[in-house]
Amino acid sequence: QVHIVESGGGLVQPGGSLTLSCAASGFSFHYYVMAWYRQVPGKERELVASVTSDGLGKRYAESVEGRFTISRDNARKTVYLQMDSLKVEDTAAYYCKAEGIGLNAGYWGQGTQVSVSA
């Protein structure tokens, strides 16, 4: 059974940092591109960052480029999102996803809330 569990969210002041973790099980983690998305109420879920299966290729949304860092540990089946210089507009529910391969649509976690407020 597939499990994707995010953790590390919380309340932080503007300019602060948080590290999100995403622990995966039940599928061949090392084959999948892993990604972090975020969503605020009333808006579509947006891609924040993604990392290739070998951890070498990384992409970021323009809004987080230079502030967020995605990484993965295939031995631990975990992907991370280091978030620095957080802004109020980073407030959202953050979701981890194993991106689909072929006909497989991929797998989503349940999300973790990040709130940036003074």
Side-chain angles (χ1 to χ4, degrees):
Q1 187 173 2
V2 172
H3 289 284
I4 293 181
V5 180
E6 302 95 335
S7 61
L11 175 64
V12 63
Q13 292 185 341
S17 297
L18 280 176
T19 300
L20 304 183
S21 298
C22 167
S25 62
F27 63 99
S28 299
F29 178 84
H30 58 282
Y31 283 141
Y32 283 75
V33 171
M34 296 298 296
W36 286 96
Y37 289 74
R38 67 186 181 187
Q39 188 172 24
V40 298
K43 293 189 176 182
E44 292 187 359
R45 195 169 293 188
E46 64 170 350
L47 177 66
V48 175
S50 65
V51 60
T52 55
S53 57
D54 61 4
L56 299 180
K58 301 176 183 181
R59 299 179 63 183
Y60 298 93
E62 185 176 340
S63 59
V64 307
E65 183 82 53
R67 299 188 296 120
F68 290 11
T69 303
I70 190 170
S71 61
R72 66 189 293 162
D73 184 335
N74 283 349
R76 289 184 166 83
K77 298 184 179 181
T78 301
V79 62
Y80 305 96
L81 186 68
Q82 173 68 39
M83 305 185 294
D84 298 317
S85 303
L86 282 161
K87 303 176 180 180
V88 172
E89 50 265 41
D90 294 318
T91 296
Y94 283 72
Y95 297 89
C96 179
K97 184 186 181 189
E99 297 288 13
I101 299 176
L103 297 179
N104 182 335
Y107 310 109
W108 287 98
Q110 292 300 306
T112 185
Q113 179 67 35
V114 172
S115 298
V116 185
S117 174

